[in-house]
Amino acid sequence: LILQLRPFYGVLFGTFVLSYLTNSLVRWVSSSRIGAKIPRRALVSAFYSSIVTIICAFSLLTVPRAIREGNDFAQSLQSSNPYVLVADGLRSTLG
């Protein structure tokens, strides 16, 4: 059974790390003067919604750029000799 769950080790480890960080942060905020009046459930919800917001913002910033660069690369491969393109890239990279 342990060997069959091998692909999920990273997910399980990430879950434990995220829950530990969440618990520590919520405990720290609730011990402060500002967080003493806010319910724990609201603090946890705010933390997880901020994580979702960060992931969405990161994907909205990076995915269109990656698609654009992929399209530009595909057009440059179709319009010119790929060997010349690779040679020029190596020449500019290596000097």
Side-chain angles (χ1 to χ4, degrees):
L1 180 67
I2 292 176
L3 291 177
Q4 292 176 346
L5 293 177
R6 184 176 284 169
F8 297 104
Y9 286 166
V11 174
L12 290 173
F13 181 71
T15 302
F16 287 120
V17 168
L18 187 62
S19 64
Y20 175 76
L21 289 174
T22 303
N23 192 27
S24 300
L25 184 71
V26 167
R27 186 180 300 149
W28 177 71
V29 170
S30 63
S31 69
S32 68
R33 290 182 183 177
I34 298 170
K37 299 177 183 178
I38 302 172
R40 181 177 173 83
R41 185 173 292 179
L43 289 173
V44 172
S45 298
F47 181 76
Y48 281 120
S49 60
S50 66
I51 289 175
V52 169
T53 303
I54 290 170
I55 290 172
C56 289
F58 180 74
S59 65
L60 286 174
L61 292 174
T62 57
V63 169
R65 181 179 289 174
I67 290 172
R68 193 175 330 115
E69 287 182 10
N71 288 336
D72 291 344
F73 183 69
Q75 287 176 356
S76 67
L77 281 179
Q78 291 173 354
S79 66
S80 65
N81 187 357
Y83 297 111
V84 173
L85 183 68
V86 170
D88 288 339
L90 286 173
R91 192 175 305 120
S92 66
T93 303
L94 297 177

